[in-house]
Structures are given as structure tokens and as C-alpha cells.
Amino acid sequence: MTCPILTVDLGALATNWRNLAAMNSGETAAVVKADAYGLGAARIARKLARDGVRRFFVALAEEGLALRRALGDGIEICVFSGHMEGDAPIIAEARLVPMLNSIDQMLRHVETLPGHPFGIQLDSGMNRLGMEVGEWEALREIALEQSPRVVMSHLACADEPDHPMNAQQLRAFREMTDGIAAPRSLSATGGILLGRDYHFDLARPGIGLYGGLPFVDAQPVAQLDIPVIQIRDVAPGETVGYGNSWTAEAPTRVATIAAGYADGIIRAMGPEGHVYAGETRCKILGRISMDLIGIEVTACPRAPESVELLGRHQSIDTLADWAGTIGYEILTSLGNRYARRYVGG
Ligand SMILES: *Cc1c(COP(=O)(O)O)cnc(C)c1O
């Protein structure tokens, strides 16, 4: 092994989708924005489409075009950013369904692509994307006459089940949409777990498919193995890495592994970070460099050839805790310098 290997378990992905779909009372789509959270949208979406997913969501029209090329026809691809200036040729060519976010987007869409399908995104309180109540009131009748493919909104606090914002947004969404004929969608991964009131006709999970919280029962999908380049023994008083931030207190065997913050291994997780050499937990020593990390392998029964950063022993959320961030950022930070291996497809 000469470069780190990112293994994506398509079987675990499919299991996570099935388990979320079993909890959800409506249709269960899949969110594959940002290259399926860094894991490879084409491979991820092809697997899920084979297993029954009929509708995918991306952030941008360009992502939708790439996905259309990977999936072919017969699958619906929806775009959260809606219909932005200049998007019309891509939306037409790739037969995308933009989630229109404003009156401006609505006008742009019907002027440039009359009769082309669309969805509507409403703001129920997050103040990020979507039409405000007033805009929706003005447009509602005209929009509904054209049978939108979905009318959706997004929850700001769904990963905190007891947060009062959930019920508040549910109420706002219902007030804006009760009685309409179009399919409705409010929930991502977190909303599915909040229960039936939040499910409506369609849910849009992302992170839960990829093995992340708040779906606590998710199977890990990403495994990252990093090769060892060199091993040395250091004496008490010697230091390892930039800034001399770690000093040996006892004779220590140190391995240098071939990945660093340029590969999305967030430097801030250094002080708490560990890897696994087989079943031995190895501490990260000193600072994470751009392409290299020092680890302690004193307790390893034999010199490891590679170590696991992500996988069976530690999840994206374990790493996120060390780095003071969320699993989403751990996944989407993983760089391009890995050999990618897809298993379980
Ligand atoms: C990213 C996103 C999702 C998926 O969210 P997860 O928390 O990853 O399940 C769903 N809907 C919208 C609008 C999003 O931006």
C-alpha cells in the first residue's frame, strides 16, 4: 500500500437506506450533494437506484448534470438551490427538477423553461433557502396549478429532538401547505427520527445513509486505512513533529503514517486523536503535518504496515468530537489523494 485507501461500503449504505426507509412512513429519497458527502455521488447513487431509490437531491444544477450522466433516465433529480441565473440549459439538458426558492426563481423558471417540472422550497423558520410566507401566498395558486413535483421545507434543529424549533417549524409548514395536492417533504435524517408527524409524503436523508449521527444505528460506510512509511525508537526527552509539541517521557516506538491535513484529516483533532493498528489503539503524537502524522506504536505486537483512522473502531462522529466539528465536515473534508475502493456493490 503506497497511498491511503478510502473504502466505501455500498452494502452498509444500502442497509442504512433500507433502515431509514423502514422508519419513514412516506417515500424515502437520497441526498447526494457535495459528491455524496465526499464518498462519490455516481457510485453511491447507482447503488441506491439499483436498490429502489427513485428520487435524488443535489445542491447545484452542475451536480445534477453529472448525476444524470451517471444514472441515465427514469430517476428524478431535484436541485435544492433551485433555478439560478444561467441554469436553464443544464436544467433542460439534464431534466432536473429545481426547487424554486423565491418569486424571482419562479419567474425565471416559467420564462426560460415553460412547462418544465419544478418543486417549491418554503422557508418555515430556518431563514436559509425558500419562499417566505408572503411570497408563497402571492404565488401559491399559480404554482399549485402547475402541479409541483414536491413542496418542501427544511428543519434547523432536527438533530435535537427536544428542541422547540421542531414543533414550531412543523406548525409553520402545515399552515403553509395543509390541503394542497402536491407531495410534501419536511425531513432529512433527523426529521425521520422525530416520528410520523414529520414524515409527510417524502423524506430526504443524507448523513444517515453515510453512517453519521443523528442516526445512531447507522452502519459505518467509510473506512480509511493509512500506510506506515517509517518506524523509529525515541528516547525519553526527545520530541516528535512540528513545534516540539510532544515529548517522550519513556522509550517510545513511533510510526510515521502517510496522510495529513491536506487529506482532510483535521489538524485540530491531533491532541485527542487515535488510530488503530489491528486491535491496538495508537495515540497521535504531536502535530498533524500536511502529509504525515506521527503515532505511538510501542504497544503493537508487531510493526504495523497500515493503520485505520476511520472504520470499525472509530466513526466519523468519533473524529468529529476530537476536531470540535460534525461528522458531515469530517466526510466532506476527505480529500482526493486516496485510492478509493468500493465494496458490497
Ligand atoms: C443536506 C440537506 C438534506 C440532508 O440532510 P441530512 O442531515 O444529511 O440528512 C436534506 N434537505 C436539505 C434541504 C439539505 O440541505
Side-chain angles (χ1 to χ4, degrees), residues 103 133-142:
I103 291 184
V133 177
E135 279 184 292
W136 176 231
E137 275 170 9
L139 269 185
R140 189 182 147 115
E141 239 172 275
I142 318 168

Side-chain angles (χ1 to χ4, degrees), residues 3 29 33 49 59 119 122 128 137 146 160 188 212 216 218 224 243 246-247 249 276 282 287-288 298 313 315 323:
C3 76
K33 64 192 179 192
L122 301 175
R128 189 178 69 167
E137 275 170 9
Q146 300 181 55
E160 296 174 60
V216 285
L224 183 57
W246 185 85
T247 306
E249 285 169 4
Y276 273 84
C282 305
R287 293 198 188 148
I288 292 174
T298 317
H313 298 92
S315 70

Side-chain angles (χ1 to χ4, degrees), residues 237-286:
E238 288 194 87
T239 58
V240 171
Y242 281 122
N244 289 0
S245 68
W246 185 85
T247 306
E249 285 169 4
T252 304
R253 177 155 274 213
V254 178
T256 302
I257 61 175
Y261 61 76
D263 303 292
I265 298 169
I266 297 171
R267 188 173 171 277
M269 79 184 193
E272 287 191 72
H274 288 77
V275 299
Y276 273 84
E279 298 301 316
T280 309
R281 190 165 186 258
C282 305
K283 184 180 161 47
I284 290 177
L285 301 177

Side-chain angles (χ1 to χ4, degrees), residues 38-68:
L39 296 179
R43 298 293 300 263
I44 295 276
R46 268 194 242 126
K47 169 64 177 169
L48 290 173
R50 269 201 307 281
D51 283 26
V53 177
R54 282 287 151 277
R55 182 147 31 181
F56 291 89
F57 285 85
V58 294
L60 300 168
E62 285 79 0
E63 294 179 336
L65 177 60
L67 192 61
R68 176 63 72 205

Side-chain angles (χ1 to χ4, degrees), residues 52-251:
V53 177
R54 282 287 151 277
R55 182 147 31 181
F56 291 89
F57 285 85
V58 294
L60 300 168
E62 285 79 0
E63 294 179 336
L65 177 60
L67 192 61
R68 176 63 72 205
R69 288 176 177 152
L71 287 178
D73 267 329
I75 300 278
E76 187 155 299
I77 301 174
C78 303
V79 183
F80 287 136
S81 61
H83 189 144
M84 293 164 70
E85 181 83 50
D87 278 352
I90 297 179
I91 290 172
E93 180 193 340
R95 297 167 302 288
L96 305 176
V97 180
M99 300 293 112
L100 303 178
N101 285 299
S102 63
I103 291 184
D104 281 354
Q105 287 204 343
M106 181 85 195
L107 292 174
R108 182 181 294 136
H109 188 69
V110 298
E111 277 167 16
T112 55
L113 298 173
H116 187 101
F118 63 87
I120 299 277
Q121 182 157 203
L122 301 175
D123 177 40
S124 54
M126 190 178 185
N127 288 309
R128 189 178 69 167
L129 278 182
M131 297 185 192
E132 301 281 331
V133 177
E135 279 184 292
W136 176 231
E137 275 170 9
L139 269 185
R140 189 182 147 115
E141 239 172 275
I142 318 168
L144 291 177
E145 268 170 23
Q146 300 181 55
S147 308
R149 305 303 307 256
V150 60
V151 175
M152 61 165 281
S153 189
H154 192 52
L155 296 168
C157 303
D159 57 345
E160 296 174 60
D162 298 327
H163 202 295
M165 185 66 166
N166 295 321
Q168 187 180 316
Q169 286 191 266
L170 176 61
R171 214 175 313 115
F173 186 61
R174 296 204 75 123
E175 277 168 16
M176 285 189 276
T177 62
D178 269 351
I180 69 173
R184 293 188 286 176
S185 176
L186 180 60
S187 288
T189 304
I192 293 176
L193 305 172
L194 292 179
R196 212 182 166 92
D197 288 351
Y198 289 82
H199 293 168
F200 295 92
D201 303 294
L202 171 76
R204 321 173 303 267
I207 194 71
L209 306 175
Y210 309 120
L213 291 175
F215 185 25
V216 285
D217 297 325
Q219 294 192 4
V221 171
Q223 178 176 327
L224 183 57
D225 295 292
I226 305 171
V228 171
I229 306 177
Q230 192 181 2
I231 296 182
R232 77 185 71 246
D233 292 306
V234 303
E238 288 194 87
T239 58
V240 171
Y242 281 122
N244 289 0
S245 68
W246 185 85
T247 306
E249 285 169 4

Side-chain angles (χ1 to χ4, degrees), residues 303-326:
E305 284 175 14
S306 78
V307 298
E308 173 195 303
L309 178 65
L310 271 177
R312 227 158 27 86
H313 298 92
Q314 38 196 36
S315 70
I316 54 172
D317 293 294
T318 315
L319 270 60
D321 278 348
W322 296 336
T325 182
I326 52 178

